[in-house]
Amino acid sequence: MRTHPPEQEFPMALAPTVQLRSGAHLPLLGLGTWPLDDAGAADTVERAIGTGYRLIDTAENYRNEKGVGEGIRRSGVPREELFVTTKFNREYHGRDGVRRAFEASSALLGLDYIDLLLVHWPNPDQGRQVEAVQGIAALLEEGLVRAVGTSNYKPAHLQQVIDAGIVPDVNQIQLDPQRPRIEERAFHNEHGIVTESWSPLGQGGGLLDEPGLVAIAEAHGRTPAQVVLRWHVQQGMVAIPKSSDPRRLAENLDIFDFELSGAELARLYTLDTGDAEIVDSDEFGH
């Protein structure tokens, strides 16, 4: 008999949500937890939830799922108000392996179900990138996960999954105004896949110092980071920035009461630097 986790309820004051193909509601902004260790994750997750975050993103490879679960418990917020996502590594690709990955992650998190489970990297060299997604779909049918996710899948990888009869709810990819991933997003939109951005504020800090971005931030009385996060969510993408600083946690969430103009969105696209710094998921994975 198929079971279902309880329906989620998100207070209106928090981040808006997007409804996934599965019916689950994914907040447009959440907390990334890499590279926090267990202790740091516990403190940061508790603080973030207290600030108003309801989407928490972790992964087997981050080695902090136990800490994330501890932070969730400390927060005192009912489980059904939270959206918890995690990812598994290449050794678990395959139907039976995905079940073992789920069991390991849910035990560390201390949760009976996971809202969104993702294949962390496709690892096409081992040829099981489709089986891995099929394994998540089987867990969805049992009510153990709310949604099926992929991470770092290129359109060609996603097409293989779609050809096998499954359309993922979410594909999480490296994405920011310098790496806007226009072709990938177009493919996602065509198939009803929500785009989730990792490293949404760029890497190395260079993006936030761009004069054009700084000018837009000053015009709105916002920080450059707030403008970039608004760029993501205003276009329907989900962003998961990482910060353990209380002030920045609050600032990152405070982006839903202003709007970028069409000209400002276009100006941010001029920051595109091409594919040079995008991790190639045909070559890298774990």
Side-chain angles (χ1 to χ4, degrees), residues 47 51 93 102 107 153 230 244 270:
R47 182 179 300 118
T51 302
H93 287 202
F102 165 82
Y153 274 50
R230 180 67 200 178
S244 55
T270 67

Side-chain angles (χ1 to χ4, degrees), residues 215-229:
I216 294 172
E218 290 175 349
H220 286 274
R222 301 285 176 155
T223 68
Q226 286 176 312
V227 170
V228 171
L229 294 174

